[in-house]
Amino acid sequence: MNIIDEIIPEKNSATRRNVRIIIPVLIKWAMQRKSDKVYEDLNSYLGYKKCSKIGYFLKEVQKVIEELSKRKGIEIPTLNGLIQSKTKGIPSSGLE
């Protein structure tokens, strides 16, 4: 079993799938020093025109990153801060 499967319950298979897509996308954007990405950009990678659950998926991404950080004993910065609201130009208020 991998870390995503351990953190996200089996009944949430769509969430597991989306987290598996989101993490590499966010890592790629971080490596490219992209800071202009909005939630709609991430929705496109997931195959959604509009998705009201994007914040939930990002919360699950953060849980996985925190657990990985704990297991490896290293600090891994949040990747969720790379995504911002198109209208506000900053990450959502739910960013932890």
Side-chain angles (χ1 to χ4, degrees), residues 10-77:
E10 187 175 348
K11 65 180 181 178
N12 296 342
S13 61
T15 300
R16 285 179 173 182
R17 173 193 146 315
N18 287 324
V19 168
R20 283 189 177 93
I21 295 169
I22 292 170
I23 290 175
V25 169
L26 294 180
I27 290 171
K28 177 183 173 185
W29 289 346
M31 291 176 67
Q32 294 174 340
R33 300 189 188 279
K34 299 283 186 182
S35 60
D36 61 342
K37 297 299 181 181
V38 295
Y39 296 103
E40 288 82 0
D41 295 324
L42 198 51
N43 281 335
S44 294
Y45 273 91
L46 297 174
Y48 300 123
K49 287 187 178 184
K50 185 174 180 177
C51 178
S52 61
K53 289 188 165 191
I54 197 73
Y56 173 74
F57 298 147
L58 289 170
K59 182 179 176 181
E60 296 301 304
V61 165
Q62 185 60 30
K63 286 180 186 178
V64 170
I65 296 298
E66 288 171 358
E67 181 62 25
L68 182 61
S69 180
K70 182 176 146 185
R71 290 183 188 187
K72 296 293 182 181
I74 59 173
E75 187 175 338
I76 302 173

